[in-house]
Amino acid sequence: VEIKLFDDEAQAQAVNAVGLRELLRLNVPSPIAHMQRTLPNKAKLGLYYHGFGQVNVLIDDIIAAAVDQIIVNSGLTVGDQTSFNTLRDVVRTDLADAVVEIAQKVELSLSLLNTINKKLKGKVSLDMVMAHGDIKSQISSLVFKGFVSELGASRLDDLYRYLKAIERRLEKLPVDPNKDRVATIGIDNVTKAYQVLCNKVAKNAIIPQALIDIRWMIEELRVSLFAQTLGTKFPISEKRIKQQLADAKQLL
């Protein structure tokens, strides 16, 4: 870790959070041995389903997400050596169990993703090409190198639900590809408008919370359109997203 100066306070706080996480990791025992002893064999194998090099990359990402979760749950702030030591002791106590819990959730999602990817392989009829392209784009925005810590432990249940919705979508797609196409066009419209607003955010600047909220609203809209029986976290519609986009535009 290192000391840096920033012109923007929000950016400084965001980078400081990552630095604090790394300092804590350097000052507590590694949870990897405990994870290897505790996880079922299926879960260990599940960690290999990702396509981003060695499994250690994924394990490090899981540990980072676990530390972040413990920091948030502790409610502690660090401003001196004493407060750091207090938080370090909390992390030391809770880290091993938190890593196992997160790894199990990641395994569930990656196992499901593996099933989905198998269904996406092979020849695709012309009336389903749009849907497959949209699904692949969605997956790349949900599962990527560093996705566990970036999404955060609190969103892992949502991730599984989003992937489950994709699986349901693929099951229904051959029955009525036209209905899927109409829904995809609606999603594409709000996604493009969302991307326009994202492009207005300065490079390296912190993404406003309003835009982050819209990003997850679009995921919930997908669940509502393609797998309604799974349920959404909140009432959602294309109209609600467009209103949120309009509100966010005023802030940028």
Side-chain angles (χ1 to χ4, degrees):
V1 297
E2 57 187 328
I3 297 175
K4 288 184 178 181
L5 293 175
F6 292 87
D7 295 326
D8 183 78
E9 182 179 359
Q11 187 180 9
Q13 290 176 347
V15 175
N16 185 69
V18 177
L20 175 61
R21 173 213 291 165
E22 294 308 308
L23 276 176
L24 290 164
R25 288 185 62 176
L26 289 168
N27 282 276
V28 299
S30 170
I32 292 177
H34 175 78
M35 184 174 71
Q36 291 174 336
R37 289 194 306 270
T38 307
L39 282 178
N41 287 332
K42 182 183 176 185
K44 291 178 185 177
L45 290 173
L47 296 179
Y48 286 92
Y49 288 168
H50 74 120
F52 309 105
Q54 298 295 320
V55 71
N56 289 340
V57 173
L58 182 58
I59 291 174
D60 282 345
D61 193 25
I62 289 170
I63 295 171
V67 175
D68 287 344
Q69 181 187 44
I70 294 168
I71 292 172
V72 171
N73 290 346
S74 73
L76 299 172
T77 56
V78 173
D80 53 31
Q81 185 68 49
T82 300
S83 56
F84 175 83
N85 290 344
T86 300
L87 182 56
R88 177 202 61 200
D89 293 342
V90 174
V91 172
R92 179 186 286 122
T93 300
D94 297 345
L95 184 58
D97 290 340
V99 164
V100 169
E101 181 181 352
I102 291 172
Q104 289 173 329
K105 290 185 177 183
V106 169
E107 185 273 330
L108 284 174
S109 288
L110 292 181
S111 294
L112 179 54
L113 178 58
N114 188 52
T115 300
I116 291 169
N117 283 333
K118 289 179 180 178
K119 293 181 179 180
L120 290 171
K121 290 181 179 178
K123 292 184 178 180
V124 182
S125 61
L126 287 176
D127 58 355
M128 295 192 293
V129 168
M130 177 185 284
H132 276 235
D134 180 60
I135 288 170
K136 289 176 181 178
S137 177
Q138 180 189 5
I139 288 173
S140 68
S141 72
L142 290 172
V143 181
F144 46 86
K145 185 177 180 180
F147 78 96
V148 185
S149 56
E150 183 163 329
L151 268 61
S154 63
R155 286 209 182 272
L156 291 179
D157 289 336
D158 292 333
L159 172 63
Y160 182 80
R161 184 164 49 87
Y162 299 150
L163 292 172
K164 196 69 180 175
I166 292 174
E167 184 182 45
R168 297 273 178 89
R169 179 182 182 182
L170 284 170
E171 290 170 355
K172 295 190 293 185
L173 180 59
V175 178
D176 194 349
N178 187 60
K179 182 179 179 181
D180 188 288
R181 183 182 64 82
V182 172
T184 303
I185 291 173
I187 290 171
D188 191 51
N189 288 337
V190 293
T191 300
K192 285 180 178 177
Y194 161 73
Q195 196 58 55
V196 167
L197 294 184
C198 287
N199 291 340
K200 291 184 178 182
V201 179
K203 188 179 180 180
N204 297 325
I206 303 301
I207 298 177
Q209 186 61 45
L211 288 184
I212 295 175
D213 292 343
I214 293 170
R215 185 256 189 277
W216 297 113
M217 288 177 74
I218 294 173
E219 291 297 338
E220 294 295 333
L221 179 63
R222 290 178 176 277
V223 176
S224 174
L225 292 173
F226 300 118
Q228 195 171 27
T229 56
L230 292 177
T232 59
K233 293 188 75 171
F234 41 75
I236 190 66
S237 66
E238 189 176 340
K239 182 179 179 181
R240 288 175 186 268
I241 296 177
K242 287 180 177 178
Q243 182 58 56
Q244 191 83 355
L245 285 164
D247 294 344
K249 188 176 182 180
Q250 299 300 317
L251 299 174
L252 297 176

